[in-house]
Amino acid sequence: MTINQELNPESMKTPHLFQFITILLFLLIGWIGCNDNSGPDLGNGSIEIITITHGENAAGYEVRIEGEEQMHVDANDTLQSGSLNNGTYKVELLELPEECSVVGLNPVTVKIEDAPKESVTFEINCGDALNKTGTLEIISSTSLINSQEIYSVFINSEQYEIGANDTLLFENIAPDTYQIELGDLPSNCTVRGNNPQEIPVTTEFTVDLSFDVFCQTIFNYKFVYQNAKSYHFKSLRFLLADGTTEIVSPEYEYIHQITPSPDYSTIAFTASKKNEDIINLYIIDKDGTNLTQITHSPEDPEIISFSWSPDSNKISFSNSGDLYVINIDGSGLNQLTDNKTIHSGGTDWSPDGMNIVFSGYKKNDTSLADIYVIDSDGSDIINLTNSENDYYSSPLWSPDGSKIIFSSRSGNLFVFDTTTSQIINITKEQDGSNNYPDWAPDGSKIVYVKYISKTKEESMRIYTMNVDGSDVTVLTNTKPGILNQRPKWSPDGKYIIFNRFDYFDKYEPENHLFIMKVDGTQKNNMGAEGCCAKWIPLD
């Protein structure tokens, strides 16, 4: 500001006027803004509630719309709600007399979107009318689906909603034959059995209708397994991701072990023919063709357990006495041991193909067994455990070859470190008997089974843990009597397949194949009765 401006009042008029007008505009805008939002937007939607009453009921009922005040409606009347925003509302009929009951669902879920008005009808039976109605219960049972998934139930074209594993109870409905359909399923899910179904409802008893929903797992695998009837495994089968099965072998008296080759091109299995106790080795291509018998006992040694070489060209096997190696075309049979130390507790080839680990009896004492490693040509046998009072079995190399896990008769799992020769009891703080270990593909975790037997509880549950025994996590926390067995990790490390049966349910319990994610969620009954499934990647 110059000196002349400071002394001259005329020079000050324009700035003062500008400031006054600016302040006035701010005040005006603020007043308009406050009066423009005098209350919440109530929306343009509404719900019409209709009551139809059979029998006498002069008192009427109370209606509650979720988020709104409770209202009264007469016995045969129509009530209009206030203005509602778009959204989902639960409408419930309350304070019914003791001699009255709503027909069908109560509460009812209503969704207001673009339509200006939705309608809900409550049909109520009272007094004598209540004794002339039936009850219908609809159950959905779903494998491998998010628990929040919602399906539609259509009853004579009327639509209702039901959860993936849920129950709808329709009480006091008129005796009649109803056509009921489960719809709006995800694209990877189908209903097993008839859909729709016609169901007669009478006044005599509650009618139960179950929909068994199978949801195909989205992954590129199939499974090879033994179909099972009680404890007898009859034939080799493929289980596809859509739940269908293919029989790929003749029917045997018993199938003992199935193991795909490391390159998944071939499947080896051991089986005994009908009316024979002799166990032989067979191979078959991954597509179910070219079934070939590799050994022919009694000319060849009988096979108890076996494992593939890493290059998929050889198989090592034990026969409750010695260890052998054979080419997959049946040639080159080579006996690696000659001291009768082997038993059927399992063998496994090292990832580099240089060694084979096996379980062997103590000399002159078959009640004790140690874990041994031998070169694949039969030289340099080493006792890894040198136990004085235990029975070790089921050894498995880790994917990188640095460790070997094995189980013991005492109920613990041990890990042998091949670099330090240190043996760690990784389940010493756990109760029960631990077995059936399997390595995660990256070697970071182990899946295994814990068997618990008590006076009023017997169960087998599947767990995972870190290699050092930490981070123990139960995956199948099932009720007593449910036995979960033989878990196997998928090659991509995302899933685990296992078999389950209810030990106390039947004289001959059924084995069912299940899949779950590695955290124990999304358990899926694959709908096949069998055991000991192995993963086969699809082309």
Side-chain angles (χ1 to χ4, degrees):
M1 181 182 293
T2 65
I3 293 176
N4 288 336
Q5 289 175 327
E6 186 178 1
L7 297 177
N8 187 354
E10 292 295 322
S11 66
M12 301 173 62
K13 289 181 180 179
T14 300
H16 281 290
L17 180 62
F18 177 76
Q19 292 174 0
F20 174 76
I21 293 172
T22 301
I23 293 171
L24 184 62
L25 285 173
F26 274 118
L27 292 173
L28 181 62
I29 292 171
W31 179 82
I32 293 173
C34 290
N35 284 274
D36 187 53
N37 189 24
S38 57
D41 181 11
L42 296 178
N44 298 318
S46 65
I47 300 176
E48 181 183 60
I49 297 101
I50 303 169
T51 61
I52 301 174
T53 304
H54 304 286
E56 287 192 9
N57 176 28
Y61 322 100
E62 296 297 309
V63 173
R64 181 171 61 199
I65 300 175
E66 188 176 18
E68 303 294 315
E69 292 185 2
Q70 190 168 303
M71 301 173 288
H72 180 81
V73 61
D74 289 333
N76 288 282
D77 201 359
T78 299
L79 177 68
Q80 190 76 33
S81 74
S83 298
L84 299 172
N85 288 316
N86 285 353
T88 300
Y89 297 86
K90 190 175 289 185
V91 184
E92 187 173 8
L93 205 62
L94 305 170
E95 299 184 15
L96 276 73
E98 291 184 1
E99 70 277 9
C100 297
S101 182
V102 175
V103 177
L105 295 180
N106 183 34
V108 176
T109 300
V110 179
K111 191 173 186 179
I112 296 178
E113 288 184 333
D114 299 328
K117 181 168 63 176
E118 293 292 339
S119 179
V120 174
T121 299
F122 289 105
E123 188 173 357
I124 305 101
N125 287 322
C126 295
D128 292 339
L130 192 61
N131 300 322
K132 301 177 181 179
T133 61
T135 302
L136 172 65
E137 184 178 51
I138 300 175
I139 304 167
S140 68
S141 177
T142 308
S143 298
L144 196 64
I145 196 71
N146 188 296
S147 61
Q148 301 303 313
E149 190 70 42
I150 300 296
Y151 309 138
S152 293
V153 173
F154 298 92
I155 304 178
N156 290 354
S157 300
E158 290 290 327
Q159 184 174 351
Y160 305 90
E161 290 185 339
I162 188 171
N165 290 282
D166 201 0
T167 300
L168 286 183
L169 185 64
F170 295 87
E171 297 181 303
N172 310 306
I173 62 177
D176 201 350
T177 298
Y178 293 85
Q179 180 167 293
I180 303 173
E181 182 177 5
L182 194 67
D184 294 333
L185 275 69
S187 60
N188 64 312
C189 299
T190 57
V191 177
R192 289 178 174 141
N194 295 329
N195 185 36
Q197 299 185 47
E198 287 193 352
I199 301 297
V201 175
T202 69
T203 61
E204 297 177 1
F205 49 81
T206 298
V207 177
D208 293 327
L209 173 60
S210 295
F211 287 102
D212 182 13
V213 183
F214 174 81
C215 296
Q216 178 179 342
T217 309
I218 308 301
F219 49 48
N220 295 319
Y221 296 99
K222 67 179 179 180
F223 310 94
V224 60
Y225 73 103
Q226 304 110 301
N227 77 302
K229 184 61 178 176
S230 183
Y231 297 104
H232 299 284
F233 306 108
K234 297 292 187 180
S235 62
L236 193 70
R237 299 191 180 192
F238 287 148
L239 171 62
L240 306 181
D242 63 1
T244 60
T245 60
E246 296 178 3
I247 301 174
V248 293
S249 80
E251 188 171 284
Y252 296 95
E253 184 68 25
Y254 199 98
I255 293 179
H256 298 261
Q257 179 184 348
I258 301 174
T259 306
S261 60
D263 63 4
Y264 297 104
S265 64
T266 309
I267 301 160
F269 66 97
T270 52
S272 52
K273 294 181 179 179
K274 287 187 176 181
N275 303 318
E276 292 184 6
D277 294 329
I278 298 173
I279 303 171
N280 280 298
L281 176 67
Y282 300 80
I283 63 170
I284 191 170
D285 289 349
K286 65 177 292 186
D287 62 0
T289 62
N290 298 324
L291 175 63
T292 305
Q293 183 173 340
I294 302 302
T295 63
H296 299 80
S297 297
E299 293 82 8
D300 295 326
E302 186 179 15
I303 295 179
I304 302 300
S305 64
F306 68 89
S307 68
W308 282 91
S309 63
D311 61 8
S312 301
N313 291 325
K314 296 178 182 292
I315 291 176
S316 65
F317 66 89
S318 65
N319 73 335
S320 294
D322 284 302
L323 188 67
Y324 297 82
V325 169
I326 192 171
N327 296 326
I328 61 171
D329 62 1
S331 65
L333 179 64
N334 183 22
Q335 182 175 337
L336 302 188
T337 62
D338 59 3
N339 55 4
K340 304 295 182 182
T341 60
I342 311 301
H343 72 102
S344 58
T347 68
D348 193 37
W349 219 299
S350 65
D352 62 8
M354 301 296 293
N355 305 104
I356 299 170
V357 63
F358 64 91
S359 178
Y361 292 124
K362 281 284 190 181
K363 194 171 184 178
N364 301 322
D365 189 352
T366 57
S367 67
L368 303 176
D370 279 314
I371 301 299
Y372 294 83
V373 167
I374 191 172
D375 289 354
S376 57
D377 62 2
S379 61
D380 294 333
I381 185 170
I382 301 173
N383 187 335
L384 301 184
T385 50
N386 289 300
S387 172
E388 296 296 331
N389 56 7
D390 213 333
Y391 189 102
Y392 298 121
S393 61
S394 306
L396 286 175
W397 292 90
S398 64
D400 64 358
S402 67
K403 295 177 176 62
I404 299 171
I405 192 170
F406 55 93
S407 58
S408 71
R409 185 168 52 198
S410 62
N412 287 304
L413 295 178
F414 294 83
V415 169
F416 177 87
D417 191 317
T418 61
T419 60
T420 65
S421 297
Q422 182 181 10
I423 299 176
I424 302 174
N425 183 346
I426 58 175
T427 56
K428 62 181 178 181
E429 303 299 329
Q430 299 185 34
D431 59 354
S433 178
N434 305 284
N435 49 34
Y436 297 118
D438 188 46
W439 291 96
D442 64 1
S444 63
K445 283 186 174 290
I446 295 163
V447 63
Y448 65 102
V449 172
K450 180 189 297 293
Y451 174 71
I452 299 173
S453 179
K454 298 179 181 179
T455 303
K456 296 183 178 180
E457 177 178 340
E458 182 170 8
S459 66
M460 282 184 173
R461 297 172 182 171
I462 296 175
Y463 291 74
T464 57
M465 64 179 166
N466 294 332
V467 181
D468 61 0
S470 62
D471 193 23
V472 176
T473 304
V474 59
L475 305 186
T476 58
N477 194 15
T478 45
K479 67 180 182 179
I482 299 296
L483 307 186
N484 304 282
Q485 294 181 329
R486 303 182 184 276
K488 283 295 177 184
W489 230 293
S490 63
D492 62 8
K494 296 179 180 179
Y495 297 91
I496 293 170
I497 191 166
F498 62 99
N499 68 284
R500 168 187 289 182
F501 62 90
D502 189 338
Y503 187 78
F504 298 118
D505 185 41
K506 297 179 180 179
Y507 175 72
E508 291 187 348
E510 295 179 349
N511 290 272
H512 290 283
L513 296 177
F514 277 73
I515 291 176
M516 61 183 166
K517 298 188 75 172
V518 295
D519 61 0
T521 61
Q522 297 188 5
K523 294 179 179 65
N524 176 18
N525 185 341
M526 294 297 289
E529 188 181 351
C531 174
C532 319
K534 304 297 191 302
W535 299 80
I536 305 289
L538 299 177
D539 293 332

